[in-house]
Amino acid sequence: MQKKFSLAYLTVLGCPPPEMTYIAAKAGYDFVSLRPIYMGLPGEPNFSFAENKELLRQTKNAFSETGVRLLDIELAKIYDGVNPKNYLSAMESAAELGGKHVLSSIWTGDRNFAIERFSELCELAKPFGLTVELEFVPIASIKNLTGALDVLHSAKQENAGLMIDIHHFHRSGDKVEDLDKVPREWFRFLHLCDATREIPASMEKMTRILREERSYIGEGGIDVASIVNRMPEIPCSIELPNLKHVNEIGFEEHARRCLLSAKKYFEQEQNIKNFEKKKLA
């Protein structure tokens, strides 16, 4: 089965959804992963569709003209004091655009509050036909596979799932064998990238690489295939922010190289598998 790829927002951080969609189409992506939930981060534009109906119209047109589809929206963060109802308008827009998933992560140390609010988020997403994918992040409160599974098992929501980011999985120190205990239906898409094999000791360096310095697939030190091969065949959303590359070659060329490196990497992995099979035959 041929892999499907999505262009994730952080890869082209600051690129408006319509332009991002046209870039994805030119580069050969199947999907885009958008951020219509405004995070209020320094230098990051507000692409809320609820606040900008013209942006929503232009994005719809871009989907119609290119055939690119919406995979997921982000980021429905669970943090102290959050009201998940604040994400309703973004979920409504996602459903209107044909999206399937909402990405979430947890940034509160209050376990019970986190589970309650995550469960509420899942309930709110159900009428829109959306699933909610929990991502663990090494700089967040839920920072590893064990923590994410605890939330998912406790929440008991049929539309909840687990989203593995290759960078985060490697940084968390989890073992690939641990993915075998995850229900297969919880895997709906993954975040694909590469990064240095060495795990940064400081939170500052970890955060910088996470947001600005990830590597093209196969050019870092992570054994990407060992992680991907433990999951079913699901879409790969390429989340590969690299400010240096973007500043040098622009959004479109960076997005293109992200996809080319991924396809080349998996093609080489398949060739190795085929060679090993022939040797055993």
Side-chain angles (χ1 to χ4, degrees):
M1 184 183 298
Q2 188 175 11
K3 288 188 180 297
K4 301 289 186 180
F5 294 94
S6 182
L7 177 60
Y9 173 71
L10 283 185
T11 305
V12 289
L13 177 63
C15 186
E19 180 184 348
M20 186 175 161
T21 302
Y22 290 118
I23 286 174
K26 288 179 183 177
Y29 288 85
D30 305 283
F31 306 98
V32 288
S33 299
L34 302 179
R35 182 177 281 188
I37 298 172
Y38 182 49
M39 308 300 296
L41 297 173
E44 192 165 321
N46 183 355
F47 294 134
S48 168
F49 293 126
E51 299 175 28
N52 191 337
K53 295 301 182 183
E54 176 60 20
L55 185 67
L56 178 62
R57 187 191 67 79
Q58 292 175 6
T59 304
K60 272 185 181 179
N61 287 344
F63 285 159
S64 177
E65 291 173 10
T66 63
V68 171
R69 291 166 288 162
L70 176 61
L71 182 65
D72 66 289
I73 63 163
E74 60 175 65
L75 176 64
K77 290 176 69 172
I78 304 298
Y79 55 89
D80 290 325
V82 70
N83 181 355
K85 289 185 175 66
N86 292 339
Y87 301 132
L88 273 170
S89 60
M91 291 192 286
E92 182 179 6
S93 297
E96 188 175 343
L97 291 169
K100 300 298 181 186
H101 317 294
V102 179
L103 188 62
S104 181
S105 56
I106 294 176
W107 300 73
T108 171
D110 186 332
R111 177 179 176 274
N112 290 335
F113 178 82
I115 293 168
E116 288 171 5
R117 296 291 82 77
F118 180 78
S119 297
E120 183 181 351
L121 178 66
C122 293
E123 290 291 343
L124 291 170
K126 283 178 183 177
F128 298 108
L130 297 168
T131 67
V132 180
E133 313 307 319
L134 180 59
E135 174 185 24
F136 59 87
V137 184
I139 61 172
S141 300
I142 299 299
K143 59 185 63 179
N144 56 28
L145 181 61
T146 299
L149 293 181
D150 173 51
V151 172
L152 291 169
H153 283 301
S154 300
K156 296 183 175 66
Q157 294 290 322
E158 62 185 15
N159 65 330
L162 177 70
M163 205 291 298
I164 297 293
D165 181 297
I166 299 298
H167 170 278
H168 303 344
F169 187 89
H170 176 261
R171 294 324 197 216
S172 73
D174 286 311
K175 297 180 175 61
V176 293
E177 294 81 8
D178 293 336
L179 292 171
D180 295 343
K181 62 188 177 187
V182 180
R184 300 293 91 181
E185 64 272 17
W186 284 5
F187 293 118
R188 299 188 180 101
F189 71 98
L190 62 89
H191 273 175
L192 187 65
C193 70
D194 208 338
T196 57
R197 182 171 184 79
E198 176 189 359
I199 298 176
S202 73
M203 191 68 73
E204 180 184 359
K205 186 175 181 181
M206 176 93 75
T207 303
R208 187 178 70 251
I209 292 175
L210 185 157
R211 286 188 61 86
E212 301 178 6
E213 297 179 12
R214 300 199 209 183
S215 306
Y216 292 129
I217 296 91
E219 295 184 7
I222 300 177
D223 185 356
V224 175
S226 70
I227 304 171
V228 174
N229 290 340
R230 291 282 177 167
M231 291 180 273
E233 191 65 53
I234 52 179
C236 298
S237 182
I238 300 183
E239 185 179 81
L240 206 158
N242 189 299
L243 290 186
K244 182 175 182 290
H245 291 329
V246 168
N247 289 336
E248 288 177 350
I249 60 179
F251 286 144
E252 185 173 332
E253 181 61 19
H254 176 55
R256 189 184 71 84
R257 293 186 187 185
C258 286
L259 185 57
L260 286 176
S261 69
K263 288 184 173 181
K264 179 181 178 182
Y265 178 85
F266 288 119
E267 183 179 345
Q268 289 174 339
E269 286 297 315
Q270 189 58 53
N271 289 339
I272 292 171
K273 286 181 182 178
N274 292 340
F275 178 73
E276 293 296 329
K277 284 181 181 179
K278 287 181 180 178
K279 281 175 62 178
L280 293 173

